[in-house]
Amino acid sequence: MAGLQEISEHQPLEWENPLFHTALSQFEQALDYCEISDAIAERLRFPERALIVGLPVRLDDDRRVVYPGYRVQHSSVLGPTKGGIRYDHNVSLGECAALAMWMTWKCALLRLPYGGAKGGVRCDPRALSQRELQAVTRRFTAELLPIIGPQEDIAAPDMATDEQTMAWMMDTYSMQVGYAVPEIVTGKPISIGGSVFRPEATGAGVVMVVDSACRRLGWSLSEQRCVVQGFGKVGAVAASELAERGATVIGVSDVSGGIHDPDGLDIQSLYERSLERGHGSLAEYEGEHVTNEELLELDCDILVLAALEDQVNADNAPRVKARMIAEGANGPTSLEADAIFAERGIVVLPDILTNAGGVTVSYFEWVQDLGRLFWNRDDIRRRLEDKMDDAFDRVWDMARKRHLTLRQAALATAIHEVAGALDARGLFP
Ligand code: NAD
């Protein structure tokens, strides 16, 4: 049987790039623990569908440019595909394919009736005006029309896209079908069916997982000294939630650098000031300044990584002093760093579990939109806690029973769910 390896031996398949190889290597490693057939494993190595489009856009100075746009859907066996849209100059088919595969595992682990997707436009969003961003978004949505829909593929914000982007996507889609379809996107403004808890969901979910892990380890969260890298939508909320639960947050950072106080920072005031001045302004604040590299190596108990991918690698992992690492970002720990942490007995709370609060509350948003009824914050928070606790318990128990790392257990649990569905449905035709 010709497998992915043989097929791509002479000519790599279009989506093969370093990030896709990381996602695939994690998948291959997890296969050792999940007892699925070769045929089903082979199916899951391939995305189900990928679309590349050229987006002609008229700029403010009247020039016309064409941007490449991508959407990759990894698996629809459990339901519609779900995943973010990013605007960035690094967006590629391979990056979208890797992130789509991770989304499949994340949704399956949380037992959400979705598969993974990811998409984006290769552009420099900071160089575009609001009018130009709107033109990119509306044209991109129009090009995606044949493959998206509330029962086919649902978008959400990601890097450099936000509530406004989702509102433009929702409007473009709705104008095509002739009526309002809020359930085509999640992470949209509350005024058009967005969730009251979506902005805090990922950061709050990170701390729910940290708290559960502390309880299992017999640590009291309120006695832990924490460092948070990234002070954006995920990191700033995670830092606030940690402080609210009594932990001492001794270091935080953003793209401009970090600040450190071994006696604890006033997170509430930093959070309020960062909302006023915008993300990326921590370097302006008084206090002891550290670089992002130094921040990762501070003496602390819990390190929350909530900035971007590949932050701890073979180079700096031996110098990390934390006893627990929580992955708020996607892919912040390299494969080599993972092995070093396992060897050193450092607990790594893996991304597909730890940052799944966002997609879980997105799922609640979609369900509420479909039913045209809306829950309040307490209701959403309680339902999120139930879902996160259930997934955490399954991962933790499997890791203990089979002597696996939490990442291996999370991936194996998720892959097992997807494989079970593929097996039950059989092969068409
Ligand atoms: P964001 O843009 O709101 O925040 C990112 C933060 O990281 C900012 O404070 C930024 O200044 C900082 N940062 C950027 N480059 C940095 C660098 N080189 N060193 C240190 N800090 C740097 O983004 P976000 O939504 O908070 O996402 C953060 C990560 O979490 C991403 O990996 C994203 O894919 C992942 N994630 C986000 C969500 C969500 O709901 N927002 C859900 C799941 C996963």
Side-chain angles (χ1 to χ4, degrees), residues 136-365:
V136 168
T137 305
R138 288 189 182 278
R139 184 63 189 240
F140 187 40
T141 310
E143 298 292 344
L144 293 181
L145 284 175
I147 64 161
I148 59 171
Q151 299 300 337
E152 286 91 24
D153 185 6
I154 304 143
D158 195 74
M159 279 163 59
T161 57
D162 56 16
E163 285 188 0
Q164 181 58 73
T165 322
M166 293 305 109
W168 291 327
M169 286 193 85
M170 179 268 186
D171 183 65
T172 306
Y173 185 87
S174 300
M175 293 311 289
Q176 297 303 313
V177 295
Y179 50 88
V181 188
E183 58 273 21
I184 180 65
V185 292
T186 60
K188 58 193 168 288
I190 292 168
S191 58
I192 52 172
S195 164
V196 287
F197 194 62
R198 181 63 187 84
E200 294 122 281
T202 308
V206 168
V207 178
M208 288 171 190
V209 173
V210 167
D211 200 7
S212 299
C214 286
R215 272 188 272 118
R216 291 287 192 127
L217 290 164
W219 305 358
S220 160
L221 181 54
S222 61
E223 287 167 14
Q224 308 306 312
R225 293 161 309 136
C226 309
V227 166
V228 181
Q229 187 203 31
F231 208 65
K233 294 188 284 289
V234 179
V237 174
S240 304
E241 292 264 337
L242 284 167
E244 263 169 44
R245 292 184 190 221
T248 310
V249 181
I250 62 164
V252 294
S253 72
D254 64 19
V255 68
S256 68
I259 48 175
H260 173 224
D261 182 344
D263 295 326
L265 297 161
D266 181 352
I267 295 298
Q268 197 50 39
S269 125
L270 284 173
Y271 187 27
E272 279 160 19
R273 287 161 64 188
S274 89
L275 288 179
E276 272 165 32
R277 298 189 202 183
H279 295 313
S281 53
L282 284 177
E284 293 170 16
Y285 301 145
E286 62 285 356
E288 179 198 334
H289 288 264
V290 289
T291 64
N292 258 295
E293 292 70 37
E294 290 163 346
L295 181 106
L296 298 175
E297 297 170 22
L298 286 175
D299 186 18
C300 67
D301 301 301
I302 299 173
L303 172 62
V304 179
L305 299 172
L308 61 174
E309 59 281 338
D310 207 22
Q311 291 303 290
V312 262
N313 45 43
D315 240 20
N316 57 359
R319 296 190 299 274
V320 167
K321 299 190 187 63
R323 301 188 289 161
M324 179 191 288
I325 293 173
E327 294 186 330
N330 287 314
T333 310
S334 74
L335 291 170
E336 296 78 17
D338 228 11
I340 294 169
F341 292 145
E343 175 93 23
R344 294 180 55 203
I346 296 172
V347 179
V348 179
L349 304 175
D351 46 8
I352 62 165
L353 169 67
T354 312
N355 69 31
V359 69
T360 303
V361 172
S362 278
Y363 161 63
F364 295 160
E365 181 178 333

Side-chain angles (χ1 to χ4, degrees), residues 12-54:
L13 284 160
E14 288 73 7
W15 55 79
E16 290 184 45
N17 79 342
L19 199 66
F20 186 73
H21 275 283
T22 302
L24 204 56
S25 305
Q26 288 182 353
F27 173 70
E28 303 295 349
Q29 287 173 12
L31 285 181
D32 291 343
Y33 320 107
C34 48
E35 293 129 28
I36 65 172
S37 72
D38 289 346
I40 284 186
E42 185 65 354
R43 178 71 191 95
L44 292 170
R45 289 187 182 101
F46 287 77
E48 248 174 43
R49 186 193 260 165
L51 180 71
I52 305 182
V53 293

